[in-house]
Amino acid sequence: MSGNFDAVDIIRTKRDKGTLSDEQIDWTIDAYTRGIIADEQMSALNMAILLNGMSRPEISRWTAAMIASGERMDFSALGKATADKHSTGGVGDKITLPLAALVAVFGVAVPQLSGRGLGHTGGTLDKLESIPGWQASLSNEQMMNQLSDVGAVICAAGSGLAPADKKLYALRDVTGTVESIPLIASSIMSKKIAEGTGSLVLDVKVGSGAFMKDEESARELAETMVALGKDAGVNTVALLTNMETPLGLTAGNAIEVAESVEVLAGGGPEDVVELTVRLAEEMLACAGIHDADPAAALQDGRAMDVWKRMISAQGGDLDAALPVAKESEMIYAPADGVLVGLDALSVGVAAWRLGAGRARKEDVVQAGAGVRMHAKPGAMVRAGEPLMTLLTDTPEKFARAHDALADAVVIASEGARPAQQLIIDRIS
Ligand code: URA
């Protein structure tokens, strides 16, 4: 590691809106990973970055230093193109499940390293772990074998990828420094670039249920990540997509798997199908395939075939029933009219409080818990009609879930139209 710097000087530089040199950044990331920079110093630096930002070259170097802190995977031995998708996180976002299988139909390998959920947005691994027998942890060799045989794998990211980010993200989580575009962009992209994919499609969510509540910040995050990807030689594009209302009709774990299987069987909610197909088209185009018809592969069973092989390869029992919550309670429409709002954050918090998510890393999630919706914005509803079913194994959780949903539903007079546009923009 070049140079030997003083952490306090580095903090002062960012505090005073200065620019860090490449050597200072390399030293900072390496010294923090090795325990030479203390947590309190890194917290101060993170806060200075959150308040004063970083230049594009600084973000790029910060990302490269985090990649260099660990291993970098290499799929070139597969002999086929690789493509991956990353979502910045939303409510009811189960798209990775049908998407990985769908893209693999066209001969593009999908190494989808995923995480567990924390807070109101669910984690892909939590959802898949509701399938009896399914295993999230694979060795690099098992992952390569599955990519070669099946073409798609969704598994836990090993601890060897960008270890600096792991330590830094945990610190940001407890110091109010998550919400910084340079830090979010470098955190996500360091992991995705280290993962070794050739192409990457980013689904950057905008709205109440997303990290980025407004379009302007989501756009800035998307542009920053696309630039980082391209700098690293990864074909990267981003879609800005709506997260004012949940995706599909389910937010939870097993209920989201069931909905994904409906999509793979050629059915499922329109918005989930639309986004799955669009992201598949983008991933395939990034990987050089422009004439594929992913919608047809959902209809004719080809994506379902890959899904079954992908789940069985990781021990999942396709014949076993998915877990069902022991208890349920209904929420009814308070009036006649058009459902114009069903707030994503409220539904996400309710699902989380019902047991579908965790408050601390060590919490165990309930496979059957969550919220099943019976209407989407745009639907006509009648007073007293069921709008949502709350699901949990622990009925004492219902009260807090009802609290979360107190202002979630907006019903307007007939003729009103919800302002809904699923795909807001594309950034490349
Ligand atoms: N997800 C990440 O991986 N990192 C962040 O900083 C925020 C979301």
Side-chain angles (χ1 to χ4, degrees):
M1 184 57 43
S2 58
N4 209 351
F5 297 90
D6 177 13
V8 179
D9 277 348
I10 287 173
I11 297 165
R12 285 197 187 111
T13 302
K14 287 316 294 178
R15 181 197 66 190
D16 298 339
K17 302 189 169 69
T19 302
L20 298 179
S21 69
D22 289 353
E23 292 73 23
Q24 281 177 313
I25 291 174
D26 292 350
W27 180 80
T28 299
I29 297 295
D30 180 64
Y32 180 60
T33 312
R34 292 192 293 121
I36 293 165
I37 295 183
D39 277 348
E40 57 270 27
Q41 293 177 310
M42 200 63 185
S43 307
L45 180 59
N46 284 338
M47 187 57 83
I49 291 170
L50 181 136
L51 295 173
N52 296 331
M54 280 203 279
S55 68
R56 280 283 166 87
E58 281 180 302
I59 303 173
S60 193
R61 191 70 180 205
W62 189 271
T63 307
M66 293 214 289
I67 296 169
S69 73
E71 65 172 316
R72 195 162 173 172
M73 298 187 73
D74 179 5
F75 296 116
S76 55
L78 281 176
K80 45 183 172 179
T82 49
D84 188 7
K85 185 260 317 188
H86 179 83
S87 157
T88 56
V91 178
D93 186 358
K94 70 274 300 169
I95 304 289
T96 296
L97 277 57
L99 181 66
L102 179 57
V103 170
V105 165
F106 299 94
V108 171
V110 186
Q112 187 78 51
L113 299 184
S114 300
R116 292 189 168 72
L118 191 63
H120 75 274
T121 61
T124 297
L125 300 182
D126 294 325
K127 299 178 214 279
L128 284 167
E129 278 173 343
S130 67
I131 302 173
W134 188 85
Q135 294 299 319
S137 294
L138 297 184
S139 66
N140 286 359
E141 189 188 347
Q142 286 171 316
M143 193 177 166
M144 282 298 268
N145 288 342
Q146 188 170 326
L147 281 173
S148 169
D149 298 347
V150 180
V153 63
I154 304 175
C155 64
S159 55
L161 290 182
D165 175 64
K166 219 160 247 130
K167 197 170 170 193
L168 204 52
Y169 193 20
L171 183 70
R172 287 166 55 214
D173 204 28
V174 294
T175 54
T177 50
V178 169
E179 298 87 349
S180 148
I181 288 176
L183 293 178
I184 297 174
S186 54
S187 164
I188 292 174
M189 293 306 289
S190 64
K191 286 172 285 201
K192 288 288 148 185
I193 296 166
E195 179 191 303
T197 186
S199 308
L200 176 64
V201 177
L202 299 160
D203 180 2
V204 180
K205 304 285 186 198
V206 191
S208 85
F211 250 122
M212 298 292 142
K213 309 291 180 199
D214 63 276
E215 195 178 315
E216 195 187 334
S217 356
R219 191 175 292 281
E220 189 185 336
L221 177 63
E223 285 169 357
T224 310
M225 291 197 292
V226 168
L228 288 173
K230 287 184 173 169
D231 285 353
V234 179
N235 294 325
T236 310
V237 302
L239 297 183
L240 296 188
T241 71
N242 191 308
M243 191 30 70
E244 289 295 349
T245 200
L247 265 172
L249 290 165
T250 54
N253 296 307
I255 55 175
E256 290 200 37
V257 172
E259 188 170 275
S260 304
V261 171
E262 281 172 33
V263 171
L264 287 156
E270 242 173 67
D271 57 344
V272 180
V273 176
E274 181 187 345
L275 192 52
T276 304
V277 168
R278 177 62 191 271
L279 287 166
E281 286 166 352
E282 295 287 352
M283 286 167 75
L284 291 166
C286 277
I289 297 177
H290 299 277
D291 56 354
D293 183 356
L298 288 177
Q299 292 301 320
D300 63 20
R302 280 176 293 161
M304 181 68 97
D305 288 345
V306 176
W307 163 262
K308 288 182 175 168
R309 292 172 57 220
M310 177 176 90
I311 297 301
S312 310
Q314 287 169 252
D317 183 351
L318 294 161
D319 298 323
L322 288 167
V324 175
K326 294 194 182 86
E327 310 283 341
S328 65
E329 271 189 11
M330 206 70 101
I331 290 186
Y332 300 97
D336 291 350
V338 183
L339 180 66
V340 285
L342 180 54
D343 181 59
L345 180 61
S346 311
V347 173
V349 171
W352 172 41
R353 289 183 179 175
L354 287 163
R358 52 172 75 73
R360 289 166 309 155
K361 277 209 281 291
E362 50 284 4
D363 293 349
V364 175
V365 300
Q366 291 183 19
V371 177
R372 184 184 297 287
M373 290 151 271
H374 303 290
K376 298 278 289 178
M380 283 293 303
V381 296
R382 295 264 161 249
E385 214 174 87
L387 273 190
M388 284 176 261
T389 306
L390 311 187
L391 301 159
T392 186
D393 293 334
T394 32
E396 60 273 20
K397 293 185 184 287
F398 282 128
R400 298 251 299 138
H402 280 284
D403 289 348
L405 291 165
D407 300 317
V409 171
V410 183
I411 294 176
S413 53
E414 226 167 288
R417 285 268 165 278
Q420 289 297 329
Q421 183 191 4
L422 180 60
I423 298 168
I424 299 165
D425 206 354
R426 176 179 189 277
I427 288 160
S428 62

